[in-house]
């Protein structure tokens, strides 16, 4: 078990900065998710922790040890990759046993016992004699997990481990992973661009963009209290409505139309954020503003009603019985307490 400390960590390739002076304290036994769009530097950060990539500057500490000069095998981390990285010529048993053998465990009885225990944790006992090519994607994923947990490393590093699975399997493996991490309680750094995966698995999420952490917090904090326009737009599905406009004595206007009384004085260059589930559909004239229905989509558990006003589209999540026709006028009720204001230019959240 170990904490991880990244201190002013930087990775440059020529003039390109992939990871930009990042500092991050990951607690012992914490499940920390690095979340961000493709190319934001998640994998590079993870590879520097593992020792697979040399930092241009900065320090990596694991369990109170500065490990910059330690080889990957000496850092006591176990990695799970997106493509699993299984040895095709070895059986499942051989793959799971491999980390024990390279670390010098000689006793066949001990290896057998530990392989069996790891396989049982991920429901692989029946498949120990198969080779990877005779397994489904989900089963291969389980082998990769079993290989990581067969010895108790100080740290797990997981790089998009679920992204090669189909949507349904991904959701069930996610729950298995959550259960497993609760059982094992080993410090884990998990890389994903999938915000639902981040929200469901993480103790804390570090949202990254352009090589920098934009916000670090619990899933609740990231969702309810986004500090920047980027975080607000990245977290949530359907995404938060982000409407450009201006404030006039506390009234928010989009292209001259009053959307809601939200406070915050008078200024131009403002983005109003409101999550679809925080907007309500009402009869015309009874909400914060009226608008025409652009689309109405039944998703199963709810209906997403998108309206258009002054060229801006705004989506509201309504209950599943809601039926609205395209072109119909509806009222949209905005709860000011459930809105966010951002500075258009800097993307920073504005104080109210
Ligand atoms: P993804 O989700 O697509 O894997 P990521 O956030 O993990 O993205 P990284 O793999 O860390 O992103 O890459 C960060 C940036 O560094 C990218 O723009 C990438 O093109 C660049 N990069 C990665 N490896 C190298 C390399 N060996 N040489 C030059 N640039 C690189």
């Amino acid at each position: 078990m170990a904490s991880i400390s990244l201190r002013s960590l930087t990775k440059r390739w020529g003039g390109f900065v992939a990871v930009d002076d990042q500092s991050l304290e990951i607690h012992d036994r914490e499940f920390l998710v690095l979340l961000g769009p493709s190319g934001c530097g998640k994998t590079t950060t993870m590879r520097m922790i593992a020792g697979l990539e040399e930092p241009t500057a900065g320090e990596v500490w694991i369990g109170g040890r500065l490990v910059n000069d330690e080889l990957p095998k000496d850092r006591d981390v176990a990695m799970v990759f997106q493509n699993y990285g299984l040895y095709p010529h070895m059986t499942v048993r051989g793959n799971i046993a491999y980390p024990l053998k390279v670390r010098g465990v000689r006793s066949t009885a001990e290896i057998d016992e530990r392989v069996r225990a790891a396989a049982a944790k991920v429901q692989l006992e029946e498949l120990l004699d198969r080779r990877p090519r005779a397994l489904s994607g989900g089963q291969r994923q389980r082998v990769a997990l079993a290989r990581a947990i067969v010895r108790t490393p100080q740290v797990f590093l997981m790089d998009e481990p679920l992204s090669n699975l189909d949507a349904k399997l991904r959701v069930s493996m996610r729950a298995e992973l959550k259960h497993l991490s609760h059982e094992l309680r080993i410090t884990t750094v998990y890389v994903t661009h999938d915000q639902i995966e981040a929200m469901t698995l993480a103790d804390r999420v570090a949202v990254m963009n352009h090589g920098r952490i934009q916000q670090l917090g619990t899933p609740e904090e990231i969702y309810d209290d986004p500090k920047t326009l980027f975080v607000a737009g990245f977290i949530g599905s359907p995404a938060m409505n982000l409407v450009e406009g201006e404030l006039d004595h506390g009234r928010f206007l989009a292209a001259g139309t009053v959307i809601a009384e939200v406070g915050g004085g008078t200024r131009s260059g403002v983005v109003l954020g409101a999550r679809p589930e925080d907007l309500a559909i009402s009869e015309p004239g009874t909400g914060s503003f009226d608008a025409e229905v652009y689309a109405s989509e039944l998703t199963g558990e709810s209906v997403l009603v998108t309206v258009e006003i002054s060229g801006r589209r705004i989506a509201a999540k309504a209950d599943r019985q809601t039926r609205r026709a395209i072109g119909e006028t509806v009222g949209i009720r905005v709860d000011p307490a459930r809105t966010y204001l951002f500075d258009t230019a800097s993307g920073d959240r504005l104080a109210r």
Side-chain angles (χ1 to χ4, degrees):
M1 313 299 148
S3 59
I4 301 172
S5 173
L6 309 181
R7 303 187 186 165
S8 301
L9 201 58
T10 298
K11 181 70 193 182
R12 267 185 242 118
W13 278 286
F16 178 77
V17 186
V19 175
D20 189 4
D21 194 18
Q22 278 205 124
S23 293
L24 177 61
E25 298 293 325
I26 303 166
H27 309 142
D28 182 30
R29 294 166 190 260
E30 183 172 33
F31 197 113
L32 183 112
V33 174
L34 293 176
L35 172 70
S38 186
C40 71
K42 310 178 293 288
T43 298
T44 305
T45 302
M46 170 98 101
R47 288 173 59 82
M48 288 193 283
I49 299 172
L52 301 171
E53 205 73 74
E54 200 183 327
T56 310
E59 296 175 348
V60 177
W61 293 72
I62 299 178
R65 266 181 12 253
L66 178 64
V67 297
N68 281 46
D69 295 330
E70 284 186 11
L71 293 172
K73 69 176 177 54
D74 298 326
R75 296 191 184 193
D76 198 17
V77 302
M79 289 196 71
V80 181
F81 299 98
Q82 177 177 353
N83 57 11
Y84 319 137
L86 302 179
Y87 299 109
H89 59 284
M90 288 184 193
T91 59
V92 169
R93 187 191 310 279
N95 269 285
I96 301 175
Y98 188 77
L100 297 175
K101 292 188 174 158
V102 297
R103 277 177 176 73
V105 180
R106 293 276 167 265
S107 150
T108 323
E110 183 187 345
I111 291 177
D112 255 16
E113 175 48 37
R114 288 172 68 176
V115 168
R116 221 169 267 289
K121 280 211 167 65
V122 292
Q123 293 98 50
L124 272 179
E125 300 106 306
E126 312 295 314
L127 302 173
L128 285 172
D129 295 316
R130 292 230 195 134
R131 284 182 208 279
R133 70 165 177 279
L135 299 176
S136 72
Q139 290 164 340
R140 284 178 206 171
Q141 183 52 54
R142 288 202 177 87
V143 179
L145 278 174
R147 189 177 55 182
I149 64 179
V150 69
R151 56 184 199 91
T152 310
Q154 288 202 83
V155 169
F156 282 133
L157 299 176
M158 303 191 183
D159 192 353
E160 307 249 11
L162 304 184
S163 63
N164 281 352
L165 306 177
D166 68 48
K168 204 168 166 190
L169 192 55
R170 223 164 137 156
V171 173
S172 68
M173 278 301 293
R174 200 172 73 200
E176 285 183 30
L177 206 55
K178 176 113 197 177
H179 186 86
L180 193 64
S181 77
H182 175 81
E183 254 182 25
L184 298 173
R185 306 275 292 146
I186 290 178
T187 312
T188 301
V189 183
Y190 186 103
V191 162
T192 184
H193 60 266
D194 179 337
Q195 43 113 7
I196 308 274
E197 232 166 83
M199 295 285 294
T200 51
L201 289 171
D203 293 320
R204 283 189 307 162
V205 182
V207 185
M208 289 184 65
N209 196 24
H210 299 311
R212 297 198 71 110
I213 294 175
Q214 293 251 327
Q215 190 170 346
L216 173 68
T218 62
E220 292 84 352
E221 285 164 354
I222 299 279
Y223 192 86
D224 291 331
D225 195 14
K227 301 289 186 213
T228 67
L229 198 51
F230 175 80
V231 174
F234 197 76
I235 306 283
S237 176
M240 185 187 285
N241 294 294
L242 295 169
V243 184
E244 273 190 51
E246 58 190 356
L247 282 172
D248 177 19
H249 298 93
R251 293 183 314 165
F252 182 82
L253 288 87
T257 308
V258 177
I259 301 290
E261 295 270 352
V262 293
T266 296
R267 63 187 288 167
S268 54
V270 177
V271 174
L272 174 83
R275 294 204 181 277
E277 68 265 29
D278 291 331
L279 298 176
I281 310 274
S282 64
E283 293 314 311
T286 67
S288 311
F289 64 94
D290 286 349
E292 255 186 32
V293 174
Y294 177 82
S296 177
E297 302 162 276
L298 173 67
T299 63
E301 42 109 27
S302 64
V303 173
L304 194 65
V305 178
T306 304
V307 299
E308 199 167 53
I309 181 164
S310 310
R312 271 81 161 160
R313 289 194 193 142
I314 296 175
K317 201 170 173 183
D319 67 54
R320 54 189 294 187
Q321 275 77 37
T322 306
R323 292 291 178 273
R324 296 291 180 176
I326 292 175
E328 186 183 343
T329 298
V330 296
I332 300 285
R333 195 173 300 141
V334 181
D335 174 1
R338 304 289 307 165
T339 60
Y340 307 85
L341 297 175
F342 302 93
D343 180 73
T344 309
S346 69
D348 290 338
R349 180 95 163 267
L350 297 173
R352 304 283 270 272

